[in-house]
Amino acid sequence: MRMTVIGTGYLGATHAACMAELGHEVLGVDVDESKISRLSSGEVPFFEPGLPEVLERNIQAGRLDFTTDYARAADFATVHFIGVGTPQQRGSYAADTRYVEAVIDDLVPQLTGDHVIFGKSTVPVGTAAALQERADALSKPDTTVEIAWNPEFLREGYAVKDTIEPDRIVLGTCGVDSRAEAIAREIYAIPLARETPFLVTNLQTAELVKVSANAFLATKISFINAVSEVCEIVGADVTQLADAIGHDDRIGRKFLGAGLGFGGGCLPKDIRAFMARAGELGADQALAFLREVDAINMRRRQRVVDLAREELGSLIGRRITVLGAAFKPNSDDVRDSPALAVAGQLSLAGAAVRVYDPEAMDNARRVFPTLDYATSLDDALTGAELVILATEWQQFREMDPAHAGELVQDRLLIDGRNVLTTEAWQAAGWRLRALGRG
Ligand code: UGA
């Protein structure tokens, strides 16, 4: 099938490349010239394992191209995906849907014939119906434009796998006379042949599925982090507790990783946008608990700073190494990163903070130019009075405590992600503090 993918950020670039990988002819569209020229030359502007190979292969095969020209997009296909961002609005919790609206405004007046637009961006419930009205008002006579919603569930770091082999496909349609389901079945023929669950709903259900999934994941993480606060006071071990409750398959062990909490471009903004939308709909009480989920999450960052102060006394001038800047491993994304928030707070409190991350250094430097950035893990550890493991990269999990001990000034470490083997580090003479482990 021929299709366009409008918006070539994390979601759009991945979707475009993976749709081409499934055999479709894809045109990626963005207003950002530099993004388009990098993608056209086979360069992925962010770190995502496996994506550069998929991009390169499909450009070579002639199935994938990129443009900034909406007129070309309008002529190229009758199926379009929207993958532009919906960031948090300035000064409000609500999502900013102006980029999604701009796609309709720029694309629809140029369309001729019968088109279906699949929204993939995470939007407040009601957006798809509003976009349908907007599209109806802008489309030419004798042209039809149907809006459907097809939320995306990909995780950074696993984006290719999650797109090509999704664990479910959700499609919201307007119901009567919808062409979207038949088209989606063709687009996703390969995953559907593997019996991927396919759920067809109305527009508002599909929109809500996405934010509910992220709100649930955020709640699960904050639940274990709240329990971890109690564990710390009474000397219980939250990791053992999570293992024990996780064996109940109604609960499950995934997303019970206690520690510095969640960050990134999705979970924090999505729970806030969900609360804001519920408020607009007169259902603010229903989601009031998400405010607590957010607060628990933010307290974890403060807790690490407090632990550093407990261990070092005054922070002024103290040499602290923060391992990790990305919001999670296998990503170079530093949006709302707990690691970088901790590094920033320590620095503002007067500590001499040195940061190291295997992939996110450039992005971190742009956000926090005043921090000191190490050139390697060894360089980061050298002379440290305190080491904080803030993002659980494999390289950090596999650190040798004896070797690290020779580099630092003091063998003092806060495991902000509960991933190190306490005994091995203690045996090498380290004093270890961890969140929720007494
Ligand atoms: C999340 C969802 O997992 C995806 O399904 C969704 O498609 C995506 O948002 C989105 O809306 O686009 P992502 O932001 O890539 O994906 O990251 P996650 O793997 O969900 O991790 C989120 C945060 O939770 C990270 O900061 C991670 O360190 C933290 N986390 C995760 C924990 O603190 N503990 C855990 O046990 C698991």
Side-chain angles (χ1 to χ4, degrees):
M1 273 192 101
R2 287 164 80 88
M3 61 192 67
T4 72
V5 178
I6 303 167
T8 57
Y10 217 105
L11 163 61
T14 306
H15 191 68
C18 291
M19 289 304 104
E21 183 78 357
L22 290 178
H24 303 303
E25 272 182 64
V26 184
L27 183 64
V29 187
D30 205 293
V31 290
D32 183 336
E33 302 254 0
S34 82
K35 222 182 250 177
I36 289 298
S37 78
R38 289 173 76 179
L39 286 163
S40 302
S41 60
E43 188 195 334
V44 179
F46 47 85
F47 176 76
E48 180 59 43
L51 187 56
E53 293 81 352
V54 176
L55 184 78
E56 180 81 54
R57 186 162 55 239
N58 286 284
I59 292 175
Q60 294 296 329
R63 282 192 297 265
L64 179 59
D65 198 4
F66 294 92
T67 186
T68 54
D69 183 358
Y70 268 92
R72 191 176 153 205
D75 288 342
F76 183 82
T78 56
V79 171
H80 312 272
F81 283 93
I82 303 181
V84 295
T86 50
Q88 191 175 328
Q89 278 179 21
R90 261 172 212 274
S92 150
Y93 268 9
D96 185 347
T97 54
R98 82 175 82 166
Y99 304 109
V100 183
E101 288 152 9
V103 173
I104 300 297
D105 294 351
D106 291 341
L107 180 70
V108 171
Q110 312 206 43
L111 300 177
T112 307
D114 297 319
H115 293 253
V116 176
I117 299 179
F118 292 89
K120 291 203 83 66
S121 310
T122 303
V123 291
V125 60
T127 302
L131 294 179
Q132 182 68 66
E133 281 182 23
R134 207 175 178 104
D136 290 344
L138 290 168
S139 50
K140 290 181 197 155
D142 300 330
T143 289
T144 66
V145 177
E146 180 187 342
I147 307 281
W149 222 259
N150 174 217
E152 181 56 59
F153 304 102
L154 68 81
R155 298 159 298 168
E156 295 188 14
Y158 303 90
V160 172
K161 182 178 180 298
D162 286 351
T163 308
I164 291 180
E165 297 168 31
D167 51 16
R168 79 285 211 191
I169 297 169
V170 176
L171 179 69
T173 77
C174 58
V176 197
D177 297 334
S178 168
R179 298 168 55 229
E181 180 181 342
I183 293 172
R185 284 190 182 278
E186 223 177 310
I187 297 170
Y188 297 120
I190 294 177
L192 290 175
R194 284 194 292 258
E195 305 206 339
T196 305
F198 183 41
L199 296 101
V200 181
T201 68
N202 62 18
L203 292 170
Q204 51 276 37
T205 306
E207 292 168 320
L208 279 173
V209 165
K210 173 59 197 269
V211 281
S212 306
N214 276 0
F216 189 85
L217 294 172
T219 303
K220 205 171 172 190
I221 298 168
S222 277
F223 172 82
I224 199 66
N225 281 333
V227 173
S228 117
E229 291 185 22
V230 180
C231 286
E232 247 172 60
I233 297 167
V234 299
D237 184 324
V238 73
T239 59
Q240 290 180 327
L241 181 148
D243 289 343
I245 63 172
H247 281 300
D248 181 336
D249 61 13
R250 293 170 304 173
I251 297 174
R253 181 62 171 85
K254 288 180 186 160
F255 275 67
L256 287 182
L260 255 175
F262 59 83
C266 302
L267 264 48
K269 101 165 154 65
D270 287 355
I271 58 169
R272 292 171 193 157
F274 199 9
M275 279 187 271
R277 187 67 184 129
E280 289 165 6
L281 295 167
D284 36 0
Q285 268 190 324
L287 299 183
F289 74 96
L290 289 177
R291 206 170 277 280
E292 199 51 46
V293 166
D294 204 354
I296 294 164
N297 192 51
M298 288 302 170
R299 277 210 295 279
R300 295 290 76 195
R301 303 172 184 194
Q302 186 56 44
R303 178 66 187 136
V304 170
V305 175
D306 292 346
L307 268 179
R309 203 174 264 116
E310 255 174 47
E311 289 296 328
L312 296 176
S314 165
L315 294 174
I316 295 173
R318 308 303 291 273
R319 286 189 303 282
I320 302 177
T321 290
V322 175
L323 297 180
F327 82 103
K328 68 171 191 179
N330 299 315
S331 168
D332 66 354
D333 194 341
V334 299
R335 285 176 294 172
D336 203 353
S337 164
L340 215 47
V342 165
Q345 277 188 53
L346 290 167
S347 165
L348 291 172
V353 181
R354 182 160 248 231
V355 176
Y356 180 68
D357 188 285
E359 294 293 339
M361 300 292 264
D362 290 343
N363 287 340
R365 222 178 257 119
R366 270 194 285 276
V367 178
F368 264 113
T370 48
L371 299 174
D372 180 19
Y373 291 94
T375 54
S376 65
L377 177 55
D378 278 7
D379 180 34
L381 294 171
T382 304
E385 294 173 78
L386 166 67
V387 178
I388 299 175
L389 193 161
T391 310
E392 68 277 31
W393 284 95
Q394 197 64 23
Q395 188 187 7
F396 304 154
R397 303 170 82 124
E398 288 170 354
M399 272 188 303
D400 172 17
H403 175 68
E406 283 161 18
L407 299 172
V408 295
Q409 178 180 313
D410 296 318
R411 297 184 180 202
L412 176 62
L413 189 142
I414 298 173
D415 181 359
R417 292 291 178 181
N418 282 313
V419 289
L420 298 179
T421 318
T422 317
E423 298 72 25
W425 284 77
Q426 283 170 341
W430 285 78
R431 177 172 163 73
L432 210 68
R433 299 291 302 264
L435 297 178
R437 301 178 78 182

